[in-house]
Amino acid sequence: MVSPLLANLLLDDLDKLLESRQLRFARYADDFTICVKSTSAGHRVMAWVSRFLTTKLKLLVNEAKSRVVKTNDLHFLSFTFRGKKVRWTTQALQDFKHRIRRLTKRSWGISMQRRYRELRLYVQGWINYFGLSEYYRTLPGLDEWLRMCYLKQWRKPRTRIRTLIKLGTRTQTAVSLGLSSKGPYRLARTLATHSGMTNKWLAEQGLVSVREQWIQFHYA
């Protein structure tokens, strides 16, 4: 919390300068974007803002992150913009997938209860931030990863068959899965797995729905 506070103190003069010139801008800590009508205006504004920061406030400007771009090419705080629509960036989605894979990794020796708890906390926190996005279709579900996680835990064919039958999968279907040489990822998408480990059953175990979290954020 110290860094954002110091940024606000140091950059308060910059905020006032931008306001005095009636420029539209957004700033979070030391990350900020300024909106102008043309590319040439963007270069002019960037030049005098950089001079103000370096000469008046004695601050360093990160030239690698500072550039003039059209709105559609702008990435700000892991969001991108398409017209008036806000979306999370491709990198943000990749980071989400990577974290989910870590949380559902079989080699992580924790109980399923704790795994569900960690997933719930992460997904809720992620949606609280990225739920602002108006784009949903590419967001992956957690159900397939968790089904795969269970199948990895139930390594032996007999364990898989017995457990799936207990959960409601037909005997012949469960046996076919148990004897299959396919990997957990492909088996997690089969009828045998879905008929036993239903969405309802996963929810009862503690699974939080990413889709429902996103809908609640927008339409609650």
Side-chain angles (χ1 to χ4, degrees), residues 27-133:
R27 182 174 67 79
Y28 180 82
D30 59 344
D31 289 320
F32 60 91
T33 181
I34 304 170
C35 299
V36 293
K37 293 183 178 180
S38 67
T39 302
S40 57
H43 286 290
R44 287 197 305 272
V45 171
M46 180 176 173
W48 67 255
V49 167
S50 296
R51 286 197 302 271
F52 178 81
L53 291 172
T54 54
T55 60
K56 298 293 184 180
L57 301 184
K58 308 300 181 184
L59 298 173
L60 293 176
V61 176
N62 188 333
E63 296 183 0
K65 293 177 61 178
S66 303
R67 57 193 183 124
V68 177
V69 296
K70 293 183 178 180
T71 305
N72 283 0
D73 298 321
L74 173 65
H75 290 181
F76 183 59
L77 302 178
S78 297
F79 286 100
T80 188
F81 309 88
R82 294 294 180 269
K84 295 183 179 180
K85 295 185 180 295
V86 181
R87 301 179 179 181
W88 51 64
T89 62
T90 301
Q91 184 59 53
L93 179 61
Q94 292 302 320
D95 291 343
F96 175 84
K97 291 180 178 180
H98 179 71
R99 182 65 180 275
I100 293 299
R101 289 191 185 101
R102 286 181 55 194
L103 292 173
T104 56
K105 199 171 183 180
R106 177 177 165 268
S107 60
W108 190 26
I110 63 171
S111 67
M112 288 302 293
Q113 286 183 333
R114 183 183 170 190
R115 196 183 301 268
Y116 278 114
R117 184 170 65 252
E118 296 292 336
L119 280 168
R120 183 171 61 255
L121 291 173
Y122 177 66
V123 170
Q124 289 175 340
W126 199 89
I127 289 294
N128 283 341
Y129 184 82
F130 287 104
L132 179 66
S133 173

